[in-house]
Amino acid sequence: MENKGTENGAFSFARSESIGGRKYGLAKIQTQQEKPNEVCHDDSVPPVRAQTIDELHSLQKKKSAPTTPIRGTHGAFSAMSEEERHRQQLQSISASLASLTRETGPKVVKGDPARTAESPRVTHVGHHSYAPSFGISDSALKFTHVLYNLSPAELYEQAIKYEKGSFITSTGALATLSGAKTGRAPRDKRVVRDETTEDELWWGKGSPNIEMDEHTFLVNRERAVDYLNSLDKVYVNDQFLNWDPEHRIKVRIVSARAYHSLFMHNMCIRPTPEELEDFGTPDFTIYNAGQFPCNRYTHHMTSSTSIDLNLARREMVILGTQYAGEMKKGLFSVTHYLMPRRQILSLHSGCNVGKDGDVALFFGLSGTGKTTLSTDHNRFLIGDDEHCWSDNGVSNIEGGCYAKCIDLSREKEPDIWNAIKFGTVVENVVFDEHTREVDYSDKSVTENTRAAYPIEYIPNAKLPCVGPHPKNVILLACDAFGVLPPVSKLSLAQTMYHFISGYTALVAGTEDGIKEPQATFSACFGAAFIMLHPTKYAAMLAEKMQKHGATGWLVNTGWSGGSYGSGNRMKLAYTRKIIDAIHSGTLLTTSYTKTEVFGLDIPTEIEGVPSEILNPINTVSSLKFPLIMMLLIFLGMHLICFNGAHDSLELQWQDKKAYKDTLLKLGGLFKKNFEGFLHYKIGKDNNLTEEILAAGPIF
């Protein structure tokens, strides 16, 4: 059978081949040109210049351009070749990974072992600082591949490919799990107590510093280093702390997970290529072997987790926890030790700056509104959590933000919501298995869900994150007892007293078993991270405030008109008006009255805030007010409005005695908390200590 084709003769089927009268296969296709001198359109291109799939893949990625040009004869690297610079960098990393009991560090090479096609050049360094030497080991016979300062895209690839529980969410963030530990382990954090730290650090009752000896630290360090060297690859980040270039700290983080490397890429300050070339030896090194436990039989160990700081060696070792926040807060503790030695105050605070250069510091524990109030679209954000105050002004310690995600919504926290995109790490969140949309209300893994993102993801972030000296120091308290005023102007001594106290209150719902308000105190609004005695930080704060003319304020974002359960939570709109008045300076020119017991100066009027709530004794709860009283007030309001005698009705606590008793109760709790600081001398005499005590509640 034959198909003759169409009239124009585009093609035709030739007759099928037959054998023994039977046809086999399809007919041959014969193509014919429509016109002899017309050529068909050809959209083909030359074939790729690759002979194999691997070669094709190698063409997909081009080598990075030289980071910075070789400088002139005066530069530190002026006569250094790229190969020599590469060798020195690997030597530095090998030295960081060196065991203290062997003569050389491990053989290190850059790159992913899965992509290494040929034997790399060996780089290791001698190490003679500790005896005895045990000679060669199995780890000395292998390469340790170093994935050095990878980009977020590269770290995504590593996490997705090698770390179970890593996924890309619908907004592009990297979702990951921190393992069994979903929060910090403060009882497993230890500091080496030696001849230097014996006298410098705060030890004993109330101190967050749990001591360990040098030998135990070295045992744990050896365990961590041996674990990291046993791996085919480790991640190394060289980054900075503190945006003030004059006082920054060089940090190196050695870790086993892409999650940890990306987390620290976001949270520390990212060096420019030129800064990375000049990085040299780090000032502080973290060995994160969190997937490997410590030895429970080692002295001082009480669990499989240990976070160890050695300030003399400038090293931190992490064993038995993969929670990334341990690295962030561990480095914060380090700055709390190193910065005061340079006469720089390290602070656990938020910080923003107005368009006129007026800087405000915000201190507050969880639930006080520190993040909400320091994030103001009319002002620039310098940072949300950790800062330094030096002779140059204020500077953010970090390069990113570590925000809580539980119950996050676009309406309540639009900046955080929009920051959760490509490059951001979201920890322990739950998401839809198909759409990958995160359910921020789901607490199946933990309530402590978090997002870590670069500060550049916040639209109104000030870059670089530095500012002039603060004009206002705002201490936030969520007073669930309902007796502290919405705002008070503080003297220097009062600022020191309330800074050392670090007060807020827990209410039902914040922790299991809490049925009524419970006062909680955290020295310097961050007791878990301070290294020196709280009074030292307070004295530095007062000195800087006095020198630069800053004013202290105590702002209550808690209850008014009664305690939790009978009063009402302070309206956020009123608190924002108060903060605006502080920023503008109008609160400095208004008239003040003094409260009893705490002796606080409270303003008599603030624009946009009802004057009756400014003094707690003049406020009233509407929740437990008898119906007859509500009726009388309703009638009274009509009479007053009719007579035109007053613009507003002044309301009071239902029971003034209840108010006074509650006020005295809270004052007693402050006094009891301060007993731990009574016998600590500031300087050569007790004058300053006595001045601070006199600024507390007086019965």
Side-chain angles (χ1 to χ4, degrees):
M1 184 175 73
E2 185 175 356
N3 188 339
K4 297 296 185 181
T6 58
E7 276 187 15
N8 57 20
F11 64 88
S12 65
F13 287 107
R15 188 178 299 277
S16 305
E17 297 291 335
S18 62
I19 301 176
R22 299 180 64 181
K23 296 180 179 180
Y24 293 93
L26 295 174
K28 291 181 180 179
I29 298 176
Q30 296 176 343
T31 60
Q32 301 172 3
Q33 286 188 343
E34 187 176 343
K35 295 178 183 177
N37 49 346
E38 187 177 287
V39 180
C40 295
H41 173 69
D42 184 5
D43 61 354
S44 64
V45 294
V48 295
R49 298 187 304 273
Q51 302 300 316
T52 65
I53 288 292
D54 288 341
E55 193 175 340
L56 176 61
H57 288 171
S58 71
L59 295 174
Q60 185 181 22
K61 291 178 287 188
K62 66 178 181 179
K63 290 185 179 293
S64 298
T67 50
T68 51
I70 302 297
R71 287 180 247 156
T73 55
H74 300 291
F77 291 85
S78 54
M80 189 180 296
S81 66
E82 284 293 327
E83 185 174 353
E84 177 63 16
R85 184 179 296 113
H86 176 83
R87 188 186 69 80
Q88 288 195 8
Q89 195 174 64
L90 288 179
Q91 278 189 337
S92 175
I93 295 170
S94 178
S96 292
L97 284 167
S99 164
L100 300 177
T101 58
R102 300 185 184 100
E103 292 182 354
T104 62
K107 300 171 184 176
V108 295
V109 63
K110 278 189 182 179
D112 187 349
R115 297 175 182 168
T116 304
E118 57 185 33
S119 296
R121 288 169 296 179
V122 178
T123 303
H124 61 85
V125 296
H127 190 84
H128 303 284
S129 63
Y130 192 83
S133 170
F134 296 106
I136 200 166
S137 68
D138 287 345
S139 62
L141 301 176
K142 62 179 280 293
F143 294 115
T144 298
H145 289 79
V146 173
L147 303 182
Y148 183 71
N149 274 44
L150 295 190
S151 68
E154 292 172 304
L155 291 168
Y156 266 54
E157 292 170 3
Q158 291 288 322
I160 298 295
K161 190 173 182 179
Y162 299 111
E163 296 179 13
K164 192 173 181 180
S166 298
F167 298 89
I168 301 175
T169 70
S170 60
T171 61
L174 179 69
T176 187
L177 295 171
S178 65
K181 296 290 176 70
T182 58
R184 290 184 301 103
R187 291 175 183 157
D188 293 312
K189 180 182 173 185
R190 299 170 178 85
V191 185
V192 172
R193 187 167 184 166
D194 54 27
E195 293 179 356
T196 302
T197 58
E198 171 79 31
D199 298 324
E200 288 185 336
L201 300 193
W202 178 26
W203 304 102
K205 185 179 178 181
S207 169
N209 301 317
I210 303 171
E211 67 177 270
M212 73 185 307
D213 58 80
E214 173 86 4
H215 176 76
T216 302
F217 174 85
L218 295 177
V219 169
N220 282 353
R221 182 193 186 278
E222 193 76 356
R223 191 173 177 88
V225 168
D226 281 348
Y227 168 75
L228 293 168
N229 285 335
S230 73
L231 303 175
D232 288 334
K233 63 186 175 187
V234 294
Y235 300 89
V236 176
N237 293 39
D238 280 349
Q239 295 182 255
F240 298 117
L241 298 178
N242 195 359
W243 281 83
D244 181 353
E246 187 179 338
H247 301 296
R248 70 185 180 187
I249 300 171
K250 297 184 293 183
V251 293
R252 172 169 291 164
I253 304 100
V254 185
S255 58
R257 291 192 62 181
Y259 149 50
H260 291 149
S261 184
L262 181 57
F263 177 91
M264 294 307 280
H265 170 88
N266 290 346
M267 294 310 303
C268 293
I269 298 165
R270 294 156 289 283
T272 65
E274 186 174 13
E275 289 170 335
L276 206 54
E277 288 178 1
D278 283 348
F279 195 84
T281 304
D283 300 317
F284 201 89
T285 303
I286 293 178
Y287 299 98
N288 189 341
Q291 289 172 289
F292 198 65
C294 65
N295 188 334
R296 292 287 298 273
Y297 289 98
T298 304
H299 187 45
H300 295 297
M301 300 300 103
T302 55
S303 73
S304 61
T305 300
S306 193
I307 303 100
D308 309 329
L309 281 174
N310 190 323
L311 297 172
R313 290 186 58 86
R314 306 290 175 93
E315 291 178 340
M316 177 180 177
V317 170
I318 298 175
L319 291 165
T321 174
Q322 298 178 64
Y323 181 65
E326 294 288 9
M327 295 183 288
K328 165 189 159 67
K329 289 305 185 184
L331 289 177
F332 190 33
S333 294
V334 170
T335 61
H336 270 312
Y337 172 72
L338 295 179
M339 291 302 176
R341 301 181 91 192
R342 306 181 189 181
Q343 301 307 307
I344 299 170
L345 178 60
S346 51
L347 301 165
H348 189 210
S349 69
C351 182
N352 64 27
V353 58
K355 295 173 183 176
D356 296 328
D358 57 299
V359 170
L361 293 173
F362 292 83
F363 295 89
L365 302 178
S366 180
T368 60
K370 180 184 72 170
T371 301
T372 301
L373 295 172
S374 61
T375 305
D376 187 334
H377 287 194
N378 295 317
R379 297 171 66 82
F380 298 105
L381 180 70
I382 292 177
D384 73 329
D385 196 42
E386 302 175 9
H387 294 87
C388 285
W389 188 351
S390 71
D391 289 340
N392 299 331
V394 292
S395 55
N396 191 347
I397 292 173
E398 301 179 296
C401 303
Y402 193 34
K404 291 181 180 178
C405 290
I406 194 66
D407 295 325
L408 178 68
S409 68
R410 189 195 300 269
E411 294 72 28
K412 290 181 181 177
E413 299 286 355
D415 286 343
I416 297 175
W417 180 276
N418 293 328
I420 299 178
K421 55 186 179 180
F422 180 81
T424 297
V425 179
V426 282
E427 292 175 327
N428 302 315
V429 297
V430 177
F431 50 83
D432 184 278
E433 64 178 355
H434 176 60
T435 65
R436 298 293 197 264
E437 290 183 4
V438 177
D439 181 358
Y440 292 108
S441 64
D442 196 317
K443 307 172 185 176
S444 299
V445 179
T446 178
E447 286 193 20
N448 190 34
T449 53
R450 296 268 183 167
Y453 49 86
I455 196 166
E456 301 95 284
Y457 284 13
I458 299 297
N460 64 328
K462 183 184 181 301
L463 298 173
C465 302
V466 295
H469 296 286
K471 182 180 177 182
N472 293 293
V473 175
I474 301 169
L475 312 182
L476 301 171
C478 177
D479 176 32
F481 294 93
V483 294
L484 290 182
V487 60
S488 315
K489 186 173 71 171
L490 303 176
S491 66
L492 277 177
Q494 286 176 323
T495 302
M496 294 171 74
Y497 183 89
H498 288 279
F499 177 71
I500 293 171
S501 298
Y503 162 71
T504 195
L506 299 175
V507 296
T510 55
E511 287 187 12
D512 291 338
I514 294 179
K515 309 249 188 246
E516 60 179 25
Q518 290 189 5
T520 182
F521 299 91
S522 182
C524 307
F525 294 94
F529 321 118
I530 61 176
M531 304 292 282
L532 312 179
H533 195 275
T535 52
K536 291 190 175 182
Y537 299 106
M540 289 184 72
L541 177 63
E543 180 185 0
K544 290 185 179 297
M545 287 178 64
Q546 188 172 40
K547 181 177 180 180
H548 301 289
T551 305
W553 306 91
L554 179 64
V555 174
N556 174 24
T557 62
W559 271 254
S560 176
S563 300
Y564 170 81
S566 62
N568 296 314
R569 184 77 190 258
M570 197 74 62
K571 289 184 178 179
L572 178 59
Y574 293 160
T575 304
R576 286 202 180 277
K577 288 287 185 183
I578 289 168
I579 299 298
D580 289 344
I582 291 173
H583 290 324
S584 67
T586 56
L587 270 190
L588 293 174
T589 59
T590 191
S591 57
Y592 285 83
T593 60
K594 195 175 285 290
T595 66
E596 54 184 346
V597 180
F598 280 89
L600 299 170
D601 289 329
I602 56 176
T604 56
E605 59 178 351
I606 300 174
E607 185 179 353
V609 181
S611 58
E612 60 267 19
I613 74 166
L614 295 176
N615 193 331
I617 201 169
N618 294 333
T619 58
V620 67
S621 166
S622 61
L623 296 180
K624 290 190 175 180
F625 225 58
L627 184 60
I628 185 66
M629 290 299 294
M630 293 296 294
L631 180 60
L632 289 173
I633 289 175
F634 176 75
L635 292 172
M637 287 177 69
H638 276 273
L639 288 172
I640 291 169
C641 291
F642 178 79
N643 293 329
H646 300 282
D647 293 327
S648 62
L649 180 68
E650 185 178 279
L651 303 175
Q652 297 181 344
W653 270 57
Q654 299 172 45
D655 185 349
K656 285 191 177 182
K657 183 179 183 301
Y659 164 78
K660 185 67 177 288
D661 290 345
T662 307
L663 182 64
L664 291 173
K665 178 183 178 181
L666 182 61
L669 293 172
F670 266 82
K671 278 185 170 291
K672 183 178 180 181
N673 171 70
F674 222 84
E675 287 175 0
F677 313 120
L678 287 177
H679 306 294
Y680 195 88
K681 242 184 223 186
I682 303 175
K684 296 181 180 179
D685 55 53
N686 286 322
N687 290 341
L688 187 55
T689 310
E690 291 169 2
E691 187 179 346
I692 296 172
L693 286 172
I698 299 171
F699 294 89

